[in-house]
Amino acid sequence: MKQTLSTQRYSSPCGDLILASARDRLCLCDWSGKPCAGRNMRRLARLLDADFAERPSAVLEQARRQLDEYFAGARRTFGIRLLPVGTAFQLRVWDALLEIPYGETRTYKDIALRTGSPGGVRAVAQAIGANGISIIVPCHRVIGSNRSLTGFAGGLEAKAMLLETEGLGHFLPGK
């Protein structure tokens, strides 16, 4: 029997997001209108045998509140139960992202080493690109080996704003 995932829109300072929950866990915080959101929603629908309905849920309200606090500079960690949906490798990569502290960055190579895939930088980059719980699973904290901003599903401007929020403005061009 198909389950129904609750969805809501969230307007962040760096772009519109779509949030989704499955029962009492957040399974999506993605960039509305971007190709990544469509891919991630299709993956959720397929792997969770689910449909989507725009409606409130307690976990979505919790996510909205905690995102508001994050953008206001009052929250450094999130306390939301998550339901990441992906392959075993993707889950390992996303777990490594959760270990990156607020206000710090790691390179793709760092994540590859952390996940036991020292030669798998490209695979790590693809797994990071498939992260459907952006901001909360902090893929924005991953930068290039030359310390430059690199690809980001929400766009480099959004990535720069997130890094600025965390006091990492020195990574931004011209700073």
Side-chain angles (χ1 to χ4, degrees):
M1 183 171 155
K2 274 194 183 276
Q3 66 177 309
T4 301
L5 305 182
S6 299
T7 65
Q8 286 185 355
R9 303 275 176 197
Y10 176 81
S11 184
S12 86
C14 54
D16 290 336
L17 299 166
I18 181 148
L19 308 174
S21 66
R23 295 173 296 283
D24 61 346
R25 297 192 289 171
L26 186 73
C27 58
L28 188 72
C29 178
D30 215 343
W31 303 95
S32 185
K34 301 282 186 175
C36 58
R39 284 191 302 272
N40 288 329
M41 290 180 80
R42 286 189 297 277
R43 183 175 65 230
L44 288 171
R46 186 180 74 251
L47 295 177
L48 296 178
D49 191 25
D51 291 319
F52 297 90
E54 191 161 334
R55 63 183 185 191
S57 81
V59 74
L60 294 180
E61 290 308 312
Q62 180 185 26
R64 294 171 70 81
R65 186 173 53 257
Q66 290 189 20
L67 285 164
D68 284 344
E69 293 166 356
Y70 169 83
F71 285 112
R75 175 172 291 277
R76 292 178 169 228
T77 60
F78 292 92
I80 301 167
R81 291 187 60 206
L82 302 177
L83 178 63
V85 177
T87 66
F89 179 73
Q90 288 171 329
L91 294 173
R92 279 198 324 271
V93 169
W94 300 337
D95 282 344
L97 298 179
L98 287 167
E99 294 173 7
I100 306 171
Y102 179 97
E104 293 185 23
T105 59
R106 299 292 183 270
T107 66
Y108 291 93
K109 180 72 170 178
D110 293 334
I111 302 300
L113 292 170
R114 179 81 180 116
T115 58
S117 306
V121 173
R122 285 182 191 227
V124 163
Q126 288 178 332
I128 291 171
N131 172 26
I133 309 177
S134 197
I135 303 171
I136 296 164
V137 177
C139 50
H140 61 279
R141 296 180 188 152
V142 181
I143 59 172
S145 292
N146 64 358
R147 313 303 286 169
S148 66
L149 295 186
T150 56
F152 185 64
L156 290 182
E157 186 175 316
K159 184 172 188 164
M161 289 180 74
L162 292 166
L163 292 174
E164 183 81 34
T165 297
E166 296 188 18
L168 296 168
H170 57 281
F171 285 106
L172 307 181
K175 299 232 176 177

